[in-house]
Short mmCIF file of all heavy atoms in Angstrom, two decimals:
data_model
loop_
_atom_site.label_atom_id
_atom_site.label_comp_id
_atom_site.label_asym_id
_atom_site.label_seq_id
_atom_site.Cartn_x
_atom_site.Cartn_y
_atom_site.Cartn_z
N GLU A 942 252.96 160.53 94.81
CA GLU A 942 253.61 159.49 94.01
C GLU A 942 253.47 158.17 94.84
O GLU A 942 253.93 158.13 95.99
CB GLU A 942 255.12 159.89 93.81
CG GLU A 942 256.08 158.74 93.69
CD GLU A 942 255.95 157.85 92.46
OE1 GLU A 942 255.66 158.34 91.37
OE2 GLU A 942 256.06 156.59 92.65
N SER A 944 253.78 154.87 92.90
CA SER A 944 253.73 153.91 91.84
C SER A 944 254.42 152.61 92.22
O SER A 944 254.19 151.57 91.60
CB SER A 944 254.57 154.47 90.64
OG SER A 944 255.97 154.68 90.96
N HIS A 1045 255.51 158.71 85.38
CA HIS A 1045 256.55 158.52 86.36
C HIS A 1045 257.93 158.77 85.78
O HIS A 1045 258.78 159.38 86.46
CB HIS A 1045 256.48 157.10 86.88
CG HIS A 1045 257.47 156.74 87.94
ND1 HIS A 1045 257.37 157.17 89.26
CD2 HIS A 1045 258.64 156.10 87.84
CE1 HIS A 1045 258.38 156.73 89.91
NE2 HIS A 1045 259.22 156.14 89.09
N LEU A 1046 258.19 158.33 84.57
CA LEU A 1046 259.54 158.51 84.00
C LEU A 1046 259.79 159.93 83.69
O LEU A 1046 260.91 160.44 83.91
CB LEU A 1046 259.71 157.58 82.78
CG LEU A 1046 259.46 156.11 83.00
CD1 LEU A 1046 259.66 155.34 81.71
CD2 LEU A 1046 260.37 155.57 84.06
N HIS A 1049 260.96 161.56 86.78
CA HIS A 1049 262.42 161.36 87.05
C HIS A 1049 263.18 162.44 86.27
O HIS A 1049 264.18 162.96 86.78
CB HIS A 1049 262.88 159.95 86.71
CG HIS A 1049 262.66 159.00 87.79
ND1 HIS A 1049 263.25 159.11 89.06
CD2 HIS A 1049 261.87 157.78 87.87
CE1 HIS A 1049 262.87 158.05 89.76
NE2 HIS A 1049 262.03 157.33 89.09
N SER A 1070 266.90 152.74 87.46
CA SER A 1070 266.36 152.41 88.75
C SER A 1070 265.99 150.95 88.82
O SER A 1070 266.40 150.18 87.96
CB SER A 1070 265.09 153.29 89.03
OG SER A 1070 264.04 152.79 88.27
N GLY A 1072 263.10 149.67 88.43
CA GLY A 1072 262.01 149.37 87.51
C GLY A 1072 262.23 149.73 86.14
O GLY A 1072 261.53 149.31 85.17
N HIS A 1073 263.21 150.63 85.81
CA HIS A 1073 263.41 151.11 84.44
C HIS A 1073 264.88 151.52 84.23
O HIS A 1073 265.58 151.96 85.17
CB HIS A 1073 262.45 152.24 84.11
CG HIS A 1073 262.07 153.11 85.29
ND1 HIS A 1073 262.89 154.07 85.77
CD2 HIS A 1073 261.00 153.07 86.11
CE1 HIS A 1073 262.29 154.62 86.79
NE2 HIS A 1073 261.19 153.99 87.07
N GLY A 1202 266.77 158.16 88.96
CA GLY A 1202 266.67 156.73 89.40
C GLY A 1202 267.57 156.42 90.54
O GLY A 1202 268.62 157.01 90.69
N GLY A 1203 267.21 155.38 91.30
CA GLY A 1203 268.01 155.06 92.51
C GLY A 1203 269.47 154.70 92.26
O GLY A 1203 270.29 154.90 93.09
N CYS A 1229 266.58 161.45 93.37
CA CYS A 1229 266.90 160.43 92.35
C CYS A 1229 266.01 159.24 92.54
O CYS A 1229 265.46 158.62 91.59
CB CYS A 1229 268.34 160.01 92.44
SG CYS A 1229 269.53 161.19 91.75
N THR A 1230 265.87 158.82 93.82
CA THR A 1230 264.93 157.72 94.07
C THR A 1230 263.48 158.23 93.98
O THR A 1230 263.26 159.44 93.85
CB THR A 1230 265.21 157.10 95.52
OG1 THR A 1230 265.18 158.18 96.43
CG2 THR A 1230 266.58 156.47 95.57
N ASP A 1231 262.50 157.27 94.10
CA ASP A 1231 261.15 157.75 93.88
C ASP A 1231 260.74 158.79 94.90
O ASP A 1231 260.98 158.63 96.14
CB ASP A 1231 260.20 156.53 93.96
CG ASP A 1231 260.37 155.70 92.69
OD1 ASP A 1231 261.00 156.16 91.73
OD2 ASP A 1231 259.82 154.57 92.70
N MET A 1235 259.45 165.35 92.26
CA MET A 1235 259.67 165.23 90.84
C MET A 1235 258.32 165.26 90.03
O MET A 1235 258.26 165.78 88.94
CB MET A 1235 260.48 164.02 90.46
CG MET A 1235 259.79 162.74 90.70
SD MET A 1235 260.89 161.28 90.40
CE MET A 1235 259.72 159.96 90.31
ZN1 ZN B 283 261.22 155.46 89.71
#
Side-chain angles (χ1 to χ4, degrees):
E942 151 65 41
S944 67
H1045 180 80
L1046 302 181
H1049 277 298
S1070 76
H1073 31 79
C1229 284
T1230 51
D1231 286 350
M1235 67 184 196

